[in-house]
Amino acid sequence: MAEIPKQPAASREEIEDDIVTLYRTDWIFGVNHRIAKAYVEPKANLGYHAHTFYEINFILSGEGTHYMGDRVIPATRGDVFIIPPNHRHAYRGVQSEFYIYNLIFHPRFFEMYLPSLRPLPGFLSLFEVEPLMRATGGFFYHILLKDETLAEITSRLDALHALDQQYESSALIAACECMTIIAILCEEYERTRAAEYKDDAFFSQSLTMIFEHLAEPLTIEALAEAAHLSRSSFLRKFSQTIGMSPHRFIQKERIKSAGQLLRNTGMTVARVAEEVGFYDVSHFVRAFTAAVGYSPTEYRKIELEKAAENKSVGNDYLYRYRFLP
């Protein structure tokens, strides 16, 4: 694998100049609707950067090189790259006619629409399992769209970009367009995933099982069987690939899901605990407090105060990303 050339360290002034700020007006229908924004970026010769939101890059024309973490990937028309939050990536060596259509999602978008998206074949693999395994050195796969599919998605992105925000129905239309685009990508991912990734794909079945059955008891034996590995081989490979034991990973994901429920629903703490697989409320409270630093009740109060503050602030920035040395 080719080595990624390192950029020289930037001065403080250069770093400040390279901060990209997204304002409330940059998000279609504002922060409260948690919808995405689509825009075309020409001549996208971009240094390493990371952001706090999901971004999908559709390559419309030209050729370049996409650097994702420690991977170097040729980028050309029809390529689609899904960039999860906090993942470093860059575009280098692009031609003058290199155009990217970016679809960026407010960080709460997937929380809001997860019940509708998770049942889609390929969604868990594409948006949760694959980014996790990529970040820990596992398999990597990106989508290459045929011309007719790229044209359909581009048309939908154009429609999303042109929506008139004055109409109350526009927010719902935008959400439907975003989910339709995601559904098309999931279908393409399931249909075209290369056979060369089948070994890692077998292992990813255990991760999919965790995500789909997080609220249920999960045994090492069942996870190993899903991965087509012996118990000992599964434990060894899981720790090597993910960087932690299955038990620790499951607890981490349960705490993460609990945080989403505390932020976005009025469920009682006991109900939240049950929904994410804790059947002893006191155990859940201790585990959540140890992981987050606040009790579930304190965490919910803080998040509600943040949400109220966000509504009262004008065009302050929502999220920023900076180019990295």
Side-chain angles (χ1 to χ4, degrees), residues 137-199:
F139 71 95
F140 170 80
Y141 181 72
H142 73 278
I143 299 169
L144 176 60
L145 299 176
K146 295 181 179 179
D147 283 347
E148 56 268 27
T149 307
L150 180 61
E152 178 187 354
I153 288 180
T154 302
S155 175
R156 292 184 179 278
L157 290 168
D158 287 340
L160 179 63
H161 186 65
L163 271 175
D164 190 335
Q165 301 183 36
Q166 297 180 32
Y167 298 102
E168 292 184 4
S169 61
S170 295
L172 179 59
I173 294 171
C176 291
E177 287 288 1
C178 289
M179 288 193 283
T180 300
I181 290 169
I182 290 171
I184 293 171
L185 294 180
C186 290
E187 182 178 333
E188 287 294 311
Y189 180 82
E190 283 291 285
R191 185 177 63 82
T192 63
R193 185 163 55 183
E196 65 189 272
Y197 298 103
K198 64 181 180 179
D199 291 339

Side-chain angles (χ1 to χ4, degrees), residues 6 10 28 49 58 67 72 119 128 139 146 154 162 173 185 187 207 214 222 226 232 239 255 266 276 285 296 312 318:
K6 293 183 178 180
I28 293 177
H49 62 283
F58 300 88
Y67 297 81
V72 181
E128 296 194 42
F139 71 95
K146 295 181 179 179
T154 302
I173 294 171
L185 294 180
E187 182 178 333
L207 292 174
L214 201 58
S232 58
S239 296
I255 296 297
V276 300
V285 172
S312 66
L318 282 174

Side-chain angles (χ1 to χ4, degrees), residues 84-97:
N86 304 313
H87 281 236
R88 299 170 70 249
H89 75 124
Y91 285 97
R92 301 271 184 79
V94 303
Q95 297 179 357
S96 59
E97 296 301 317

Side-chain angles (χ1 to χ4, degrees), residues 31 36 50 121 152 158 165 202 240 286-287 291:
V31 62
E152 178 187 354
D158 287 340
Q165 301 183 36
F202 279 141
Q240 289 174 347
R286 288 195 302 271

Side-chain angles (χ1 to χ4, degrees), residues 118-129:
R118 263 196 165 168
L120 291 174
F123 177 80
L124 282 172
S125 295
L126 188 56
F127 284 89
E128 296 194 42
V129 174

